[in-house]
C-alpha cells in the first residue's frame, strides 16, 4: 500500500489553493490542498504500525511551526507544476529531515522545496500563460501548522487519512 | 465552518465502495468512502477546540469495534441513496449516542442507520435499475474500526481531516 505524510493548511489557504486547482490541477479530486512532507512510499500492514509509532515520536519532538506562502513558483522545466512557495525555515527543514532518517530509508531523492501545488500537468504553452497570470496575482499568507497526517492511497488514486499527529514539542 | 465525524474503513472496503461510487455517486470526489458517525454541524474555531477535546475523551471510552457490511440497501423513498448496510451492534450505537450527547446538541434528527454510501442522487428509474443489480451482487465484509476522524468542509464541498482519535477504551 502507498503511504505519504502531509500537512493540511487552514481552510482559508486550502480554499485559495482550490480556486486554482479546480481549473488547473487534474489531481484536484484525489486529495485536498496540502504540503507534502514525505513523498509516497510503499509499506505493508505490519510496517505501518512501526511507521505510525515513529511518526508519533517525531511529532513529539517538533513544535507547531509557522508557514509563510510568499509567491507563486514553478518546477519547470522539470515539470509544469505551479505552487505556492512556502519559505524554508529551520523547523520545516528539521521535520523533513526527521521524516527522511535511516528508519525511513534515508534522504529524500530531491532537495526539499516546501510548497502547496496549485496547478500541474499543463502543456508548455498553458504553463507559460497561467504562470504569467498567477505570478502577478501572487500570494501572501502566514499561518501555523500544528499537526501532520499519515495518509494512504486508494486504487482510484485518492488519499485517505490514516492517522493524525499533533506537533507538541514535548520531547524536544 | 462545517464539521463532521466519520470512520474510514480499510482500503479494501473503500476500494469496493469506490468501484460503485465512481459511477453512481456525484459526491465521489469530495470524500473517500466512510461511515458517518455525526452529520455535518456548524462550529467556529473557538468551539472546535472543545469539540476536539470531547471527541478525544469519547475515543478513550470506546474500544475498537467490528463492522459487518451485510447487504446493499436503499434509503428510498426518502432519498435515492444506495449503501452498504453495516449491521447495528451495541458498540456502534453507544459511540453514536456519545456523539449526540447534550454537549453536541442532543439526539440525531434521524434514527441511526450505520452505512457506507455507494450511490446517490439518482433518478427514480436509475435507482430502481442499479438497486436491482447491486442487491444481487451484495456485500459481505467484516473488519475492525479502531479510529474516528473529525473533518471540516472546504468551500468546494470537499472534506479535510482535522484530527484522528484512536478508540482505546482505556477509560471505559
Amino acid at each position: 500500500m502507498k503511504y505519504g505524510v502531509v500537512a493540511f493548511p487552514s481552510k482559508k489557504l486550502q480554499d485559495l489553493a482550490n480556486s486554482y486547482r479546480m481549473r488547473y490541477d487534474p489531481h484536484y479530486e484525489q486529495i485536498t490542498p496540502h504540503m507534502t512532507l514525505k513523498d509516497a512510499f510503499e509499506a505493508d500492514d505490519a510496517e505501518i504500525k512501526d511507521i505510525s509509532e515513529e511518526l508519533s515520536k517525531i511529532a513529539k519532538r517538533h513544535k507547531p511551526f509557522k508557514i509563510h506562502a510568499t509567491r507563486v513558483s514553478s518546477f519547470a522545466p522539470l515539470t509544469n507544476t505551479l505552487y505556492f512557495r512556502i519559505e524554508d525555515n529551520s523547523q520545516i527543514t528539521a521535520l523533513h529531515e526527521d521524516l527522511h532518517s535511516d528508519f525511513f530509508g534515508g534522504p529524500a531523492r530531491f532537495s526539499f522545496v516546501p510548497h502547496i501545488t496549485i496547478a500541474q500537468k499543463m502543456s508548455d504553452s498553458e504553463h507559460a500563460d497561467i504562470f504569467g497570470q498567477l505570478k502577478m496575482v501572487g500570494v501572501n499568507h502566514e499561518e501555523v501548522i500544528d499537526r501532520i497526517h499519515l495518509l494512504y492511497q486508494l486504487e482510484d488514486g485518492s488519499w485517505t487519512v490514516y492517522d493524525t499527529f499533533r506537533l507538541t514539542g514535548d520531547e524536544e
Side-chain angles (χ1 to χ4, degrees), chain A residues 110-136:
Chain A
F110 304 105
S111 67
F112 180 48
V113 179
H115 70 280
I116 294 167
T117 296
I118 55 172
Q120 59 187 325
K121 307 213 186 269
M122 293 175 289
S123 69
D124 287 349
S125 62
E126 193 186 9
H127 170 266
D129 179 30
I130 307 300
F131 189 23
Q133 285 177 36
L134 298 194
K135 222 168 19 179
M136 300 248 286

Side-chain angles (χ1 to χ4, degrees), chain A residues 130-172:
Chain A
I130 307 300
F131 189 23
Q133 285 177 36
L134 298 194
K135 222 168 19 179
M136 300 248 286
V137 182
V139 63
N140 185 11
H141 178 99
E142 243 181 309
E143 65 177 56
V144 171
I145 295 291
D146 67 355
R147 62 196 66 210
I148 59 177
H149 302 274
L150 173 63
L151 294 78
Y152 64 83
Q153 192 170 32
L154 302 180
E155 288 306 312
D156 69 350
S158 63
W159 290 86
T160 291
V161 169
Y162 181 72
D163 213 344
T164 303
F165 306 92
R166 300 228 194 169
L167 303 171
T168 60
D170 287 346
E171 293 172 18
E172 231 176 333

Side-chain angles (χ1 to χ4, degrees), chain A residues 21 23 47 54 60 63-64 93-94 106 113 116 121 123 146:
Chain A
R21 294 177 79 224
R23 276 174 290 175
E47 287 172 299
E54 180 67 16
K60 284 182 187 133
K63 281 198 165 59
T93 307
V113 179
I116 294 167
K121 307 213 186 269
S123 69
D146 67 355

Side-chain angles (χ1 to χ4, degrees), chain A residues 7 35 37 62-67 89 91-92 95 143-146 148 167:
Chain A
M35 177 168 73
L37 292 165
H62 293 267
K63 281 198 165 59
F65 58 85
K66 258 194 201 150
I67 59 169
N89 65 48
Q91 288 176 291
I92 301 182
L95 178 57
E143 65 177 56
V144 171
I145 295 291
D146 67 355
I148 59 177
L167 303 171

Side-chain angles (χ1 to χ4, degrees), chain A residues 73-94:
Chain A
S73 296
S74 171
F75 283 127
L78 197 64
T79 62
N80 287 342
T81 300
L82 301 180
Y83 55 90
F84 291 154
R85 179 70 162 99
I86 307 290
E87 291 305 308
D88 266 314
N89 65 48
S90 57
Q91 288 176 291
I92 301 182
T93 307

